[in-house]
Structure formats: structure tokens, C-alpha cells
């Protein structure tokens, strides 16, 4: 079904101590696709992403990016292979300026050419980031921080971007900006795995969406299922 | 959270202490001192454990209370006659009174506890590094005062002629008593509250736990046990200087606790006895010792090098401590046994862990 | 002693502690680790000066730098790196254990008798004579303190690796997620700590040309206390705190009535206690973190 996979996760198990957080998750994201991952709180969505990035070590299973296994590789290597994560909770460096935050985005970039062009593109996507570039990042609002976090991740020129609840706690208008930017980013050729709690928006927005609950992947939905609320409710609360 | 197995962990600790005492009772007089040292160390480590293990706050100040206990017990038990000669500057009240060893143990514990309460009252608000350095300041002040103030003790000279009444059985009784106090405290409501607060201070505060007050109680109790330990120590050695209850002892007792596993009474027991006996063994080995088939002689001064390296290695390979920080339990023992018997693959799985330094919310 | 002399002595001691604190603060910044073994680097450097006493001063000093930097990086690699993510009590005791082992090695190799080392003894000469004697070493210590602190601050503020270090110091995990090579950044912190230790070893032997096994440990302990009182999580506050404790203890030695002189340590640490209780986050830490560099 997916011609050329970017990310393949197979039977992933992750535990915190003895508590299982992800149990046997198997999912694939094709190159250029935008895939959603939804599920109730505590489902294991963030943990899955952290495992991909090598922040937590899986207890079992395999993770491949563009064909090569990335389990056990250090995070900074995985970043240099072309994977980027915008983690939950907009971790911008508050004591640094917006510009310095962006400069940190360049660290994981495979080569330093074309920075100017990317910078311009990003300023087009997120005008506020440009406007406040000299400000302390700690003085930005939640929505502005989220945009900065995504902009920063893009500067590493990832071929695949993982986003963990980018719309969490944002005003509706900012959510629109962020989703519009995601569409734009996807059009530029970046593969996207998007974790969200807002299932309905996500299912409508993504090419395909996985539903996760209690550490287990329950089902896979496509955009046409966006209105099939009962199937979603089933996936969330069914056993 | 550590589950408290009612008496199992206490009984196991007492059994281990008793084994050490039995081994010591059959040994030659000089070797016996090594076993007594181990039991006295255990007492001091129990004191340290009661505070550090329950509150999660590190303290460099506990040896202050051991020092207070040691010097008060020592000064008070030296007969009045020689006391005038060795400590001419002593405060007349101290110079003219002398008590029995047993009384001196009680006094030392009370003084240790009271001074911990007084010092702890302002200090217990602190946590993390600030607490570490503040308790370190307490150690420095105690050391400086004891080392210089001839009104209350021998000052920079050796406190000598203390009755040597800490034999193997007395040290065993002292250690058992301390283990029981530590266990009673950790199983009590107050002790469990403080442990809960260690896991999540904000949540504990939200349900009405007065964290500072709970810490103070633990600090006071642990000061009393450390005071008792200091008194036992001085009655073991017969003479003492302030340097013997200062930095090195602070470091060693902390290392014993962490190496054993700072979250459990069983860890405190194992760590104290293991490191203390190892230390003694290595010291003896500098003057050659029989090890099963051969004679072992370590170069002079190498025993501390080896001890330091072994301690570093244990921490590197068992960062949770020898006991993993859990209490002793027969069920746990059986589980470990089964695991070892089962395929080694089971032991190999690595649980998820995040790389990098611990989250900032953790206390030192 | 006159007032000017007291101030000069205070400045010299303060500058020395400040140099020690730079290394402590950098390592603390990236690893949240109080490195008690840092003092052993100074001792190692000082013993290397003693062992190379017959060489020209410059060669001896170069070797001292190599020893301090090498040992600093080695300790990080062997003892601290495997413990990343372990509980703070564990890592703290690990740094203690390393210091304990090294100190035992010094004792075994060099005994507790002082060993002579003073490659720069000429700095003991008086630069400005008269009623108050200002020795060269005081001037050099002050200058080294200012230059090295400024240099490190510049590296942190202006270079990419400095930016990465600041990022790793505030949010280690996020820094890694951006591709920051944290091992490199941490090694750099230990290299700088080694450089500072070497500088201290060279300068401190001028004042105290007899090296003992606790040569570095003692001053590191005081510098550490000062750094925490000032605020150990930032370079400026940590160095300022360490400087202040050196200056204050030097002043106190002069201000205390002679009957209290023997209790100088107790008074200094009483002051430490009071300051910690009043400002647990650090004497010089401001509420708004925006203006101060976080390290
Ligand atoms: N650092 C951790 N230590 C222990 N348990 C954790 C840790 N992080 C997550 N967990 C547990 O793992 C499970 C999965 O958590 P995860 O953060 O992956 O969920 P999530 O699907 O991202 O939830 P949310 O939508 O609320 O972000 C939860 O039960 C959570 O309590
Ligand atoms: Mg999540």
C-alpha cells in the first residue's frame, strides 16, 4: 500500500521501569505522507515518538528510517539522519533569544548551504518568528513558542518531522496557522507524523491516521472516516 | 515507592548484624575491632538513612551529631581525676562530673537529637544543593568549634582515657536498637508521609503534609541515632580526635548508604557492613593477611586506593546500590533466584530510560 | 597589617577561588553535577610541577596543563559518563569516591609531607612596595581571573559551541533533539575545568610552594561553597560567590578580635548558613533570569 516507506516501526515495546507504555506497535509512514497518530491521554503516543528519536530505549521491536535500523543510535545521530521532533510542550530555550533558538536549529543540519533561503521560507510560514527574532524566547506567548519550535526544527532540514501535539492549548486561529504551515511543509516534500488529541481534525487533515490506546495501536483510519464518529469513539473507549 | 515488608527487612537486617557479631566474637582481639567498627558504622549509617532515605535530601552534616555524641560521651565518662590533668581548661561543671558509659550513651543520643532539632529548624526548608552545602557548613562549624574550644573538650589534642566499653555485644545491641528505631520510623504514619513527599513534594503538600515539619522530625531522630553512634565509637576507640569525625567519615558513611541502596533499611545494613568490613580487611592486608590459600600483602597506603576504586566501580555498575534500593524480602530473593536460573536473555532486557541528567525536580 | 594590605590579600584569595569556581560552574551547568574530584586535578597539576621541577618553567607549566586537562577528560569519560541519568546522590558519591581514590594515590605516591613546587616563585616579588606590599602574584591572579572569566563568557556568548553549551545546560534532552553533540559539549566543559585547574595549580604554588595530598581539595571545597552561595547554575554568580567567600574569609581574618581568630572557619560558615537561608537560589541570582546568562 505504501510505495516507499520513510519510517517503519515494527512490534515496538517500550517500558518505563516495569510499566509498559507501548505494546507491540506497528506502523508505517510513506515518503511524503502525512500520517496522524491519535489516542487518549496516556496512550503512549509521545513515548512512541521518543523511542523513534532514541530518547528512550525500546524493550523490543524494530524502528527503521529510510531502510536502516535506528534503534540504539544516539539522538544526535538520528537527527543528522534527517529526523526531527517537535516535542510536547514547546521546549524553547527561554533564556535565549528567538534568533539563538533558531541558530540551534542549524546544528543538526546536514550541510550549511541554503540557510538564507530556508530562513526566508520559514519567515513566510511564521511571520511572528521573524518579527520577534531579537526577543527573549521566554517572553513569547504559547502560540508563538510553538511556531518557533516548529521553525527551529525545520532549520535542520529534516526529511521527516515528528510533531507532538502542536495544537495543544492554542487559540483556534493559531491552530489554523499551524495546520496551514504543516500543509505547506508537507508540500515542500517533508514527511510528517503528527500526534494529536483532536482526533476529528487530525483524521480529516492527515492521509491516514492510526488510533492508539493503552499502548496498543487499535486501527487505521483515512480521511473519509473523519465523520465516522462512532468508529472513533469505539477506538478510544472500546476494548 | 519501596514497599515496606513488615518485619522481614528488619529481621533480615538484625540477622545480618548478628552474624557479623558472631563472627567477631570468635575472632582474635584485634580482628574483633574490625567487626565492632562495622556494627558502629551501621549505627551511624542508620542515623543517616533515617533522614536521607526518607526525605531524599542529602546531608553532609550528620557526622556533626556523631561528633557531638562522641565528644560529649567521651568528656563525660573520663574519670574526674585525670580529666583535670588532660583538659585543664574544661568548664568546671564538666570537669567535676563523670557518668557511666550507659548514661553517656543516653546523653549523647539526646544531645545529638536536640542539636539536630535546633539546627534543623531553620535548615529544613532547604533542599537540593543548598541543603547539601548548608549541612556541610554545619559540619565545618561543629568541627571548628570542637577543635578549638577547650571549655567543652580537649580542643585540638586527642581526647584520651575514655573507658572502652563498646565491645562486640554492646555494638550489636546499639546497631539493633538503631535498626529498630529506623524501621519503626519508616513504617510509622509520619515516616510514610515523608516518603510520599520525597516522591512528589507538591502533591504531598497539596494533601496537607507539612514537609518541613516531617523533615525536621526525621532530622532530629537521625541526629539522635548519629549521636548514639558517635558515643559507641568513642567507647570503642578509647581516644578520639576531631579529625576522626569529620570529612572522611562523612564521605564514607554517605558512600555506605548509597552503595547499599539509600532507599531501604536493608540497603543501609548491607552497605554499612560491606564497606566497613572491606575497609578493615584492606587495612589489615597492608600488614599481610591470609586469604584462603595464599598470603596477601598490600603495599603501604594502597588500601584506600583500592577501597576508592572498588567503591567507584560498585557505583558505576550498580548505581541503584547493591540492594537496588529495595527492602529485603524472601519473595524478592526467590524472584532473583528464578531469574538467575532462567535464561540469561531475561536479564539482558534494558528498560526504557532517558539519557542525560535527571530532571531538575529531583533533589540532590 | 594595614587596610590596603588586607584588601590585596582578599583580592588574591578571592580571584583564586573564582578560578576554581569557573570549572565547577561549567561542569555543573551541563551535567548538574557537583564535581568534588575537581580539586584532585589541581593537586595532580601541582605534583606534576614538583616532578618536573628540573625542567624549564615553561615546559613544566605546559606539562601541568596537559596533566590537568587529560585527567579531567579521563575522569569524565570513565567515571561520570556511565552515570548520566543516575540519581544526584549517586553521582555525587561517585565524584567523592573518585576524589577519595585519587587522594589515596597522592598519599601513597608522595606521602603526606609537602613537596616543593614553585615554577613561578619570582611572582612572589613585590610589585609595588611601600607601606603596603602588592605582590606580582596578586596582580597575575586578578588578571587571570578577569581574562579567563571574560574568555569563557565570550566563548559561551559568541561561539556556536558556547550556544550549544548554554542550550545543553538549560534543557539537555531538547538540546540532543536538535542534534547538539552533548558528549562533545560535556567534554569541552571538562577541558575548560582542566585548564582552570592548571592555572590554579601554577598560581597557588606561588603562594604555597609545598604540595600535599589535600592541596587542591581544600580550596575546591571552599570555592564550591562560595559558588553555591552565589548561585552555582550560572557562571557569573558562581564565580562572584567564590570570589566573595575568599575575600570575606580574608577580611574576617583581619576583622575578628584575636580571641575569635581560631573560630574563623566557624564564622565564615555561619555567614554561609545565613546567606543560604536568606537566598537559597543564590545570593546573586536575580528573579528575572533574562538578564543573566544561564550556564
Ligand atoms: N518518564 C516517564 N516515566 C514513567 N512513566 C511514564 C513516563 N512518561 C510517560 N509515562 C507513562 O507512559 C504511558 C504513556 O505515556 P505517553 O506520554 O507516551 O502518553 P501520550 O499518549 O503521549 O499521552 P498525552 O496525550 O497525555 O500526551 C503513560 O501511562 C504515562 O504515565
Ligand atoms: Mg504525549
Amino acid at each position: 500500500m505504501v510505495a516507499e516507506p520513510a519510517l517503519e516501526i515494527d512490534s515496538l515495546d517500550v517500558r518505563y521501569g516495569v510499566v509498559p507504555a507501548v505494546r507491540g506497535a506497528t506502523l508505517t509512514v510513506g515518503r511524503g505522507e502525512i500520517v496522524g497518530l491519535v489516542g487518549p491521554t496516556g496512550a503512549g503516543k509521545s513515548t512512541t515518538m521518543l523511542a523513534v528519536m532514541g530518547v528512550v530505549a525500546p524493550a523490543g521491536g524494530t524502528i527503521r528510517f529510510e531502510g536502516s535500523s535506528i534503534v540504539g543510535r544516539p539522538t544526535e545521530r538520528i537527527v543528522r539522519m534527517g529526523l526531527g521532533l517537535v516535542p510536547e510542550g514547546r521546549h524553547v530555550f527561554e533564556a535565549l533569544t528567538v534568533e539563538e533558538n533558531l541558530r540551534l536549529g542549524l546544528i543538526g543540519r546536514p550541510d550549511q548551504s541554503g540557510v538564507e533561503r530556508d530562513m526566508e521560507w520559514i519567515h513566510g510560514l511564521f511571520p511572528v518568528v521573524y518579527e520577534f527574532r531579537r526577543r527573549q524566547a521566554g517572553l513569547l506567548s504559547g502560540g508563538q513558542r510553538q511556531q518557533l519550535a516548529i521553525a527551529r526544527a525545520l532549520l535542520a532540514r529534516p526529511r521527516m518531522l515528528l510533531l507532538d501535539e502542536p495544537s495543544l492549548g492554542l487559540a483556534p486561529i493559531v491552530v489554523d496557522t499551524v495546520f496551514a504551515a504543516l500543509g505547506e511543509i508537507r508540500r515542500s516534500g517533508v514527511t510528517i507524523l503528527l500526534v494529536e488529541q483532536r482526533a476529528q481534525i487530525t483524521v480529516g487533515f492527515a492521509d491516514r491516521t492510526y488510533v492508539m490506546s493503552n499502548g496498543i495501536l487499535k486501527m487505521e483510519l483515512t480521511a473519509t472516516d473523519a465523520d465516522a464518529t462512532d468508529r472513533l469513539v469505539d477506538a478510544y473507549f472500546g476494548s | 515507592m519501596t514497599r515496606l515488608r513488615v518485619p522481614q527487612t528488619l529481621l533480615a537486617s538484625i540477622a545480618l548484624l548478628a552474624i557479623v557479631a558472631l563472627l567477631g566474637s570468635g575472632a582474635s582481639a584485634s580482628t574483633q575491632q574490625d567487626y565492632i567498627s562495622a556494627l558502629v558504622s551501621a549505627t551511624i549509617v542508620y542515623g543517616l538513612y533515617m533522614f536521607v532515605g526518607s526525605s531524599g535530601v542529602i546531608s553532609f552534616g550528620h557526622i556533626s551529631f556523631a561528633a557531638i555524641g562522641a565528644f560529649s560521651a567521651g568528656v563525660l565518662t573520663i574519670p574526674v581525676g585525670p580529666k583535670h590533668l588532660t583538659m585543664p581548661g574544661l568548664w568546671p561543671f564538666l570537669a567535676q562530673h563523670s557518668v557511666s558509659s550507659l548514661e553517656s550513651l543516653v546523653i549523647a543520643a539526646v544531645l545529638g537529637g536536640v542539636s539536630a532539632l535546633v539546627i534543623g529548624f531553620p535548615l529544613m526548608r532547604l533542599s537540593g544543593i543548598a541543603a547539601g552545602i548548608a549541612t556541610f557548613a554545619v559540619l565545618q562549624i561543629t568541627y571548628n568549634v570542637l577543635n578549638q574550644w577547650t571549655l567543652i573538650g580537649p580542643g585540638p589534642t586527642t581526647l584520651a582515657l575514655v573507658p572502652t566499653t563498646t565491645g562486640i555485644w554492646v555494638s550489636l545491641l546499639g546497631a539493633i536498637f538503631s535498626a529498630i528505631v529506623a524501621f519503626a520510623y519508616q513504617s510509622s504514619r509520619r515516616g510514610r508521609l515523608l516518603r510520599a513527599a520525597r516522591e512528589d513534594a507538591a502533591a504531598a503538600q497539596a494533601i496537607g503534609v507539612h514537609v518541613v515539619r516531617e523533615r525536621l522530625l526525621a532530622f532530629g531522630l537521625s541526629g539522635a541515632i548519629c549521636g548514639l553512634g558517635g558515643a559507641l565509637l568513642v567507647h570503642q576507640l578509647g581516644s578520639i580526635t576531631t579529625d576522626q569525625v569529620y570529612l572522611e567519615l562523612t564521605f564514607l558513611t554517605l558512600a555506605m548508604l548509597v552503595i547499599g541502596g539509600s532507599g531501604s533499611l536493608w540497603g543501609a545494613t548491607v552497605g554499612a557492613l560491606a564497606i566497613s568490613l572491606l575497609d578493615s580487611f584492606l587495612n589489615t592486608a597492608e600488614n599481610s593477611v591470609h586469604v584462603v590459600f595464599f598470603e596477601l600483602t598490600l603495599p603501604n597506603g594502597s588500601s584506600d586506593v583500592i577501597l576508592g576504586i572498588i567503591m567507584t566501580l560498585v557505583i558505576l555498575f550498580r548505581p541503584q546500590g547493591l540492594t537496588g534500593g529495595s527492602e529485603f524480602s524472601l519473595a524478592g530473593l526467590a524472584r532473583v533466584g528464578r531469574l538467575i536460573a532462567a535464561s540469561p536473555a531475561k536479564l539482558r532486557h534494558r528498560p526504557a530510560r532517558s539519557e542525560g541528567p535527571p530532571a531538575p525536580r529531583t533533589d540532590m | 597589617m594595614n587596610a590596603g594590605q588586607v584588601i590585596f590579600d582578599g583580592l588574591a584569595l578571592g580571584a583564586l577561588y573564582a578560578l576554581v569556581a569557573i570549572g565547577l560552574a561549567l561542569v555543573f551547568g551541563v551535567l548538574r553535577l557537583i564535581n568534588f574530584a575537581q580539586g584532585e586535578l589541581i593537586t595532580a597539576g601541582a605534583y606534576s610541577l614538583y616532578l618536573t621541577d628540573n625542567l624549564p618553567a615553561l615546559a613544566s607549566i605546559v606539562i601541568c596543563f596537559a596533566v590537568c586537562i587529560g585527567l579531567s577528560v579521563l575522569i569524565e569519560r570513565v567515571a561520570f559518563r556511565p552515570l548520566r541519568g543516575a540519581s544526584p546522590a549517586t553521582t555525587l558519591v561517585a565524584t567523592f569516591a573518585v576524589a577519595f581514590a585519587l587522594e589515596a594515590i597522592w598519599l601513597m605516591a608522595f606521602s603526606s609531607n609537602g613537596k616543593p613546587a614553585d615554577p613561578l616563585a619570582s611572582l612572589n616579588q613585590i610589585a609595588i612596595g611601600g607601606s603596603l606590599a602588592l605582590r606580582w602574584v596578586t596582580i597575575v591572579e586578578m588578571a587571570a581571573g578577569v581574562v579567563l572569566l571574560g574568555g569563557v563568557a565570550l566563548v559561551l556568548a559568541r561561539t556556536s559551541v558556547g550556544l550549544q553549551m548554554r542550550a545543553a545546560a538549560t534543557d539537555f534532552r531538547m538540546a540532543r533533539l536538535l542534534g547538539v553533540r552533548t558528549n562533545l559539549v560535556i567534554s569541552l566543559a571538562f577541558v575548560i575545568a582542566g585548564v582552570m585547574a592548571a592555572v590554579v595549580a601554577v598560581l597557588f604554588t606561588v603562594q604555597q610552594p609545598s604540595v600535599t595530598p589535600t592541596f587542591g581539595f581544600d580550596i575546591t571545597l571552599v570555592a564550591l561553597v562560595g559558588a553555591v552561595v552565589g548561585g552555582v547554575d550560572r557562571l557569573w554568580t558562581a564565580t562572584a560567590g567564590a570570589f566573595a567567600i575568599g575575600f570575606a574569609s580574608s577580611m574576617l581574618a583581619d576583622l575578628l578580635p584575636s580571641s575569635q581568630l581560631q573560630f574563623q572557619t566557624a564564622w565564615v560558615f555561619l555567614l554561609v548558613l545565613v546567606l543560604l537561608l536568606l537566598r537559597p537560589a543564590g545570593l546573586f541570582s536575580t528573579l528575572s533570569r533574562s538578564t543573566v546568562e544561564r550556564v
Side-chain angles (χ1 to χ4, degrees):
Chain A
M1 68 186 181
V2 185
E4 210 180 343
L7 181 71
E8 302 156 277
I9 300 177
D10 192 18
S11 327
L12 179 69
D13 276 315
V14 188
R15 286 177 220 144
Y16 291 105
V18 290
V19 187
V22 177
R23 296 184 280 173
T26 299
L27 67 86
T28 313
V29 182
R31 237 173 243 196
E33 256 193 319
I34 178 158
V35 170
L37 178 59
V38 298
T41 179
K45 308 182 294 291
S46 301
T47 304
T48 305
M49 292 195 149
L50 293 176
V52 171
M53 297 307 295
V55 175
V56 296
T62 59
I63 305 173
R64 295 171 162 277
F65 179 62
E66 295 180 345
S68 42
S69 168
I70 54 172
V71 173
R73 295 201 189 190
T75 303
E76 52 264 39
R77 287 261 308 278
I78 294 175
V79 171
R80 282 184 176 72
M81 290 178 69
L83 268 164
L85 169 66
V86 180
E88 203 170 5
R90 345 181 157 102
H91 287 264
V92 302
F93 296 98
E94 298 183 3
L96 306 184
T97 64
V98 169
E99 239 168 15
E100 285 174 322
N101 269 280
L102 292 174
R103 281 220 321 264
L104 281 165
L106 296 173
I107 303 286
R109 204 178 162 92
D111 69 304
Q112 300 298 320
S113 66
V115 173
E116 290 286 301
R117 211 184 46 234
D118 282 3
M119 215 48 124
E120 262 166 44
W121 179 56
I122 279 159
H123 291 155
L125 284 179
F126 305 111
V128 283
V129 170
Y130 180 70
E131 192 180 329
F132 292 126
R133 64 195 180 282
R134 305 224 187 283
R135 255 201 210 181
Q136 202 86 37
L139 301 176
L140 298 184
S141 75
Q144 292 163 346
R145 284 178 199 211
Q146 187 59 267
Q147 297 178 50
L148 171 58
I150 299 174
R152 188 179 58 185
L154 286 175
L155 281 176
R157 265 191 167 254
R159 287 192 300 284
M160 176 165 186
L161 194 57
L162 314 178
L163 294 124
D164 198 348
E165 307 208 25
S167 76
L168 189 70
L170 299 190
I173 179 143
V174 188
V175 175
D176 290 346
T177 314
V178 167
F179 271 76
L182 292 186
E184 196 63 42
I185 293 164
R186 185 262 184 96
R187 268 189 291 286
S188 80
V190 177
T191 310
I192 291 179
L193 179 61
L194 173 67
V195 160
E196 272 293 341
Q197 291 243 14
R198 309 177 183 217
Q200 219 147 8
I201 307 181
T202 312
V203 175
F205 180 71
D207 300 331
R208 296 179 294 122
T209 299
Y210 290 94
V211 184
M212 189 175 212
S213 171
N214 261 324
I216 298 171
L217 281 181
K218 297 280 176 163
M219 63 168 71
E220 199 185 316
L221 303 171
T222 57
T224 51
D225 297 316
D227 299 321
T229 335
D230 45 339
R231 283 195 66 192
L232 265 174
V233 171
D234 249 23
Y236 265 61
F237 301 108
S239 47
Chain B
M1 264 210 51
T2 341
R3 215 145 30 111
L4 300 180
R5 308 250 164 198
V6 187
Q8 266 187 32
T9 186
L10 178 62
L11 292 179
S13 293
I14 291 177
L16 201 59
L17 294 170
I19 291 170
V20 169
L22 279 173
L23 288 174
S25 70
S28 69
S30 67
T31 316
Q32 195 174 70
Q33 289 304 316
D34 297 344
Y35 292 92
I36 299 176
S37 293
L39 293 167
V40 173
S41 301
T43 303
I44 298 177
V45 173
Y46 286 138
L48 186 63
Y49 160 70
M50 265 200 275
F51 179 71
V52 176
S54 309
S55 70
V57 176
I58 233 162
S59 165
F60 295 114
H62 272 70
I63 294 308
S64 300
F65 310 124
I68 289 170
F71 278 82
S72 58
V75 167
L76 282 170
T77 47
I78 297 173
V80 174
K83 202 156 26 179
H84 284 290
L85 300 174
T86 53
M87 291 177 280
L90 206 59
W91 186 32
F93 177 82
L94 290 175
Q96 285 151 19
H97 291 83
S98 184
V99 302
S100 74
S101 289
L102 184 61
E103 288 164 325
S104 81
L105 295 183
V106 177
I107 293 171
V110 170
L111 280 179
V114 169
S115 44
L117 284 176
V118 171
I119 292 165
F121 184 71
L123 248 57
M124 289 300 107
R125 284 185 298 121
L126 301 176
S127 43
I129 301 183
I133 299 297
T135 48
F136 178 71
V138 170
L139 179 69
Q140 293 285 355
I141 294 170
T142 313
Y143 172 78
N144 188 209
V145 169
L146 281 179
N147 194 34
Q148 294 296 333
W149 206 15
T150 45
L151 201 62
I152 56 165
T157 61
T158 306
L159 178 72
L161 301 175
V162 181
T164 49
T165 44
T166 303
I168 192 84
W169 302 116
V170 171
S171 61
L172 174 65
L173 282 177
I176 290 179
F177 172 78
S178 312
I180 292 174
V181 172
F183 182 77
Y185 171 69
Q186 78 180 26
S187 343
S188 74
R189 206 182 85 83
R190 307 285 300 264
R192 281 181 286 129
L193 282 181
L194 186 54
R195 262 173 198 262
R198 179 187 71 178
E199 308 289 324
D200 189 345
Q205 225 130 22
I207 59 163
V209 181
H210 196 311
V211 176
V212 173
R213 200 177 57 204
E214 297 308 330
R215 277 187 190 165
L216 185 59
L217 175 68
F219 201 65
L221 279 173
S222 72
I225 296 299
C226 284
L228 173 67
L232 289 170
L233 180 66
V234 80
H235 286 303
Q236 177 203 354
L237 301 174
S239 67
I240 200 165
T241 67
T242 43
D243 282 303
Q244 284 170 283
V245 276
Y246 185 43
L247 277 178
E248 184 168 329
L249 189 60
T250 299
F251 161 59
L252 277 178
T253 46
L254 266 175
M256 287 170 184
L257 184 59
V258 167
I259 284 174
S262 63
S264 69
L265 182 74
W266 178 234
T269 313
V270 170
L273 296 177
I275 298 296
S276 179
L277 288 174
L278 175 69
D279 186 19
S280 301
F281 171 80
L282 291 172
N283 274 321
T284 321
E286 283 187 5
N287 307 313
S288 102
V289 59
H290 283 286
V291 186
V292 200
F293 298 119
F294 59 96
E295 185 109 333
L296 175 71
T297 309
L298 296 174
N300 251 351
S302 66
S303 66
D304 276 353
V305 179
I306 298 172
L307 182 66
I309 290 172
I310 290 180
M311 287 192 297
T312 310
L313 289 177
V314 173
I315 294 170
L316 287 183
F317 288 101
R318 299 274 325 197
Q320 303 281 321
L322 291 170
T323 65
S326 43
E327 292 293 1
F328 176 89
S329 80
L330 289 172
L333 209 61
R335 203 164 47 237
V336 172
R338 274 200 306 276
L339 259 179
I340 292 169
S343 79
K346 264 193 184 166
L347 285 170
R348 238 183 282 129
H349 105 250
R350 288 182 327 186
R353 86 196 143 86
S354 48
E355 293 248 350
R361 70 185 140 84
T362 357
D363 266 353
M364 264 185 55
Chain C
M1 231 197 271
N2 70 34
Q5 190 67 58
V6 175
I7 290 178
F8 284 154
D9 290 349
L11 290 176
L13 194 61
L16 200 70
Y17 287 149
L19 284 168
V20 180
I22 293 174
L24 287 171
L26 279 179
V27 168
F28 181 84
V30 286
L31 280 187
R32 305 280 129 183
L33 170 88
I34 295 277
N35 185 9
F36 278 97
Q38 170 112 5
E40 305 313 314
L41 303 178
I42 300 171
T43 313
Y47 277 124
S48 84
L49 292 175
Y50 154 70
L51 290 176
T52 57
D53 221 14
N54 51 342
L55 297 181
L58 185 64
S60 174
I61 289 171
V62 168
I63 292 174
C64 169
F65 272 80
V67 165
C68 289
I69 295 170
L71 187 61
S72 183
V73 172
L74 181 75
I75 291 175
E76 188 273 323
R77 189 68 197 79
V78 174
F80 300 158
R81 190 171 296 182
L83 285 177
R84 259 183 236 165
S87 86
T90 305
T91 48
L92 190 80
V93 170
T95 76
F96 253 157
V98 170
F100 182 87
L102 286 173
E103 225 171 284
I105 290 176
W106 312 143
L107 191 63
M108 192 166 98
F110 302 106
S111 86
S112 59
N113 300 328
K115 300 291 178 200
D118 52 348
L120 298 182
S122 53
L123 288 182
N124 259 324
Q125 283 163 7
I126 290 173
I128 303 170
S131 61
L132 53 152
L134 176 59
R135 289 175 305 149
W136 278 111
V137 63
T138 307
I139 298 173
V140 172
E141 271 167 5
M142 292 292 298
V146 171
V147 167
L148 289 171
L149 180 61
V152 171
L154 214 62
V155 167
L156 286 175
R158 290 291 157 80
T159 66
S160 168
V161 70
L163 181 65
Q164 295 181 44
M165 200 179 255
R166 284 188 289 157
T170 22
D171 189 339
F172 199 84
R173 176 195 276 194
M174 191 61 232
R176 294 194 83 189
L177 280 170
L178 290 172
V180 169
R181 289 196 180 90
T182 39
N183 283 340
L184 207 73
V185 166
I186 289 167
S187 296
L188 180 70
F190 278 86
V191 166
I192 298 178
V195 170
M196 296 302 153
V199 173
V200 172
V202 171
L203 291 178
F204 194 41
T205 48
V206 176
Q207 292 171 352
Q208 188 171 315
S210 158
V211 186
T212 59
T214 58
F215 184 83
F217 186 77
D218 294 343
I219 51 174
T220 303
L221 221 45
V222 184
L224 168 65
V225 170
V228 172
V229 169
V232 71
D233 58 342
R234 283 177 212 105
L235 185 61
W236 295 108
T237 53
T239 20
F243 180 84
I245 202 170
F247 194 74
S249 44
S250 197
M251 294 302 255
L252 215 54
D254 194 62
L255 294 177
L256 282 177
S258 57
S259 68
Q260 287 299 307
L261 220 46
Q262 51 181 337
F263 296 116
Q264 188 201 346
T265 318
W267 286 113
V268 170
F269 280 95
L270 199 60
L271 187 67
V272 164
L273 265 187
V274 172
L275 291 176
L276 280 173
L277 287 169
L278 292 178
R279 310 220 39 178
L283 183 58
F284 303 117
S285 69
T286 42
L287 281 182
S288 99
R289 300 184 159 185
S290 49
T291 49
V292 201
E293 214 129 53
R294 290 209 73 208
V295 162

